[in-house]
Amino acid sequence: MRIQQRIGRRSRVATAVAVAAVAALALAGCARDTGGGGGTAQGGQCERVAPPSVPAASAQPAPEKPRADASRLKVGLAYDIGGRGDASFNDAAAAGLDRAVAELGLQKANTREATAQQGESEDAGTTRLRQLAQGGFNPIIAVGFNYATGVSTVAKEFPQTRFAIVDDDTVQLPNVTPLVFAEEQGSFLVGVAAALKTQTCKVGFVGGVDNPLIQKFDAGYAQGATAAAPNVQVDSAYISPLGDNSGFNDATRGTEIASGQYDGGADIVFAAAGQSNQGVFAAAQTAQKKAIGVDSDQYNSPQLTQVRDVIMTSMIKRVDVAVYDYVNAVAGNTVDQLPKRFDLRNDGVGYSTSGGFVDDIRPQLEAYKAAIIAGRIQVSSTK
């Protein structure tokens, strides 16, 4: 958790530095171009272009909010399948809760965590939230869009209790706060990283479930890759179809799909597949190629130590920031001041640098980040 915080703070400084360096990057980028203008790469040669230049003043991240006193709160956290320890989405939420304990005075004894189980009914999620509300926990944070029905039901039963839900903005109630993200923006940056690092001019994407949320990762990744290398090929595949959430917990299938992409010429694969990411990393290790993680800084996940050297970077979806900021806002009675969407400007998404694999291209990544913050690049959430 502290590592992620340091990355976030360093990236704010790096963004400003990168803007000043863009002019030099433009010259370097032109020198690296191999010619051509789109279509299929020939012989693994990628045409690479430099990021746009933006004024430093227009690319400044939003300032951090002052800390409130959360010592009187009782916070309930309802995880999605996998819970704390999934090395991904849920662990990011757990990191936000831990940070609130460390920095806001929230008492660990006044927190409670509960986890969804594979194959459970929708009613089970509703019951889980209701039990937290009956236990006096306020606020209650539901991690994942699968809790939408449960949040809608229980928030009506307990109108004085505050609820937040990650990855869903369909519940329109005065005591419910959506915590949603610009996943496409962070994915754009790791797409740039893949395009700048590929040796074959072909990269892959493996999504857990073919739903609108994961399609945002796919879309942003492809846009970033083609922005940095217009003729790069992006091979995209999903583990399970819309409505079948097993794709987030099927490492075997993740290995099969990623292995196919590596065998087909891709040398870097971005996985946005929950626990199935572990299967993609295993495939990368076998193929002696690279992969990109998601949600948390997966290079630093204890559960992934044996495959960490294949994790080139991770698209960090700062669920930890959203959870922490929400607890801070409830404690300070400033919930109405939370961002409508957690994006690059408010450190809601980003990329990791652990392992040093992207150190040499970090100026380019930060320049693209600055261009998105400034509005010079508009990243679409769909292809």
Side-chain angles (χ1 to χ4, degrees):
M1 177 267 295
R2 293 192 179 98
I3 290 172
Q4 288 181 334
Q5 289 174 244
R6 289 197 294 270
I7 289 171
R9 295 186 183 112
R10 286 199 303 267
S11 67
R12 292 170 183 267
V13 175
T15 298
V17 173
V19 172
V22 168
L25 283 173
L27 294 175
C30 291
R32 290 167 53 192
D33 284 355
T34 60
T40 302
Q42 299 297 321
Q45 294 297 309
C46 267
E47 172 198 358
R48 294 185 172 101
V49 298
S53 175
V54 299
S58 66
Q60 295 303 310
E64 293 185 8
K65 299 293 185 183
R67 297 176 184 178
D69 179 9
S71 59
R72 297 183 180 181
L73 295 183
K74 291 182 65 178
V75 180
L77 193 61
Y79 293 117
D80 204 346
I81 296 168
R84 183 188 282 264
D86 73 340
S88 186
F89 182 66
N90 290 295
D91 265 359
L97 183 67
D98 293 344
R99 184 182 170 197
V101 170
E103 298 183 13
L104 302 179
L106 176 65
Q107 301 300 303
K108 183 66 176 176
N110 287 338
T111 67
R112 181 175 297 173
E113 302 170 38
T115 304
Q117 302 301 311
Q118 184 72 36
E120 71 176 20
S121 68
E122 193 173 74
D123 288 344
T126 302
T127 299
R128 186 175 302 112
L129 296 174
R130 185 178 291 116
Q131 288 173 340
L132 288 170
Q134 290 171 338
F137 291 91
N138 184 12
I140 296 169
I141 304 166
V143 184
F145 57 82
N146 286 330
Y147 281 108
T149 298
V151 167
S152 179
T153 300
V154 181
K156 292 172 185 174
E157 296 173 359
F158 295 85
Q160 302 307 312
T161 299
R162 288 189 175 275
F163 293 81
I165 180 168
V166 176
D167 283 347
D168 182 88
D169 59 3
T170 65
V171 183
Q172 303 294 318
L173 293 172
N175 59 330
V176 176
T177 301
L179 303 176
V180 294
F181 300 81
E183 292 92 350
E184 67 278 6
Q185 292 184 0
S187 298
F188 182 102
L189 295 180
V190 298
V192 170
L196 295 179
K197 284 290 188 177
T198 180
Q199 299 297 309
T200 63
C201 208
K202 186 172 184 179
V203 300
F205 172 84
V206 176
V209 179
D210 191 3
N211 63 28
L213 174 62
I214 305 303
Q215 289 165 8
K216 292 168 67 178
F217 293 85
D218 189 2
Y221 180 66
Q223 290 169 73
T226 54
N231 62 333
V232 70
Q233 297 180 58
V234 182
D235 186 359
S236 176
Y238 291 83
I239 296 174
S240 64
L242 179 67
D244 177 4
N245 290 331
S246 67
F248 291 129
N249 194 32
D250 191 346
T252 299
R253 185 62 180 142
T255 297
E256 293 172 354
I257 293 174
S259 294
Q261 293 183 345
Y262 289 126
D263 289 344
D267 58 349
I268 300 169
V269 173
F270 174 30
Q275 287 188 300
S276 298
N277 271 29
Q278 297 179 35
V280 175
F281 299 150
Q285 190 173 59
T286 298
Q288 297 185 340
K289 305 296 185 182
K290 293 295 184 184
I292 296 172
V294 78
D295 294 337
S296 298
D297 182 355
Q298 295 201 287
Y299 179 91
N300 284 321
S301 296
Q303 305 92 321
L304 300 174
T305 300
Q306 292 185 338
V307 295
R308 67 188 305 182
D309 288 340
V310 307
I311 304 175
M312 185 182 83
T313 182
S314 295
M315 196 296 278
I316 299 182
K317 178 175 173 178
R318 301 300 300 270
V319 179
D320 60 320
V321 169
V323 169
Y324 171 86
D325 284 359
Y326 177 69
V327 173
N328 191 41
V330 172
N333 197 28
T334 58
V335 172
D336 60 339
Q337 297 177 26
L338 286 170
K340 299 298 182 184
R341 203 170 60 138
F342 288 86
D343 57 17
L344 286 175
R345 180 176 290 279
N346 50 51
D347 200 28
V349 294
Y351 66 96
S352 66
T353 60
S354 300
F357 300 111
V358 298
D359 285 355
D360 58 325
I361 61 170
R362 193 170 180 190
Q364 291 100 314
L365 295 174
E366 289 296 322
Y368 275 108
K369 176 181 176 180
I372 294 171
I373 291 175
R376 179 72 180 275
I377 293 176
Q378 299 288 333
V379 186
S380 174
S381 61
T382 60
K383 285 186 173 180

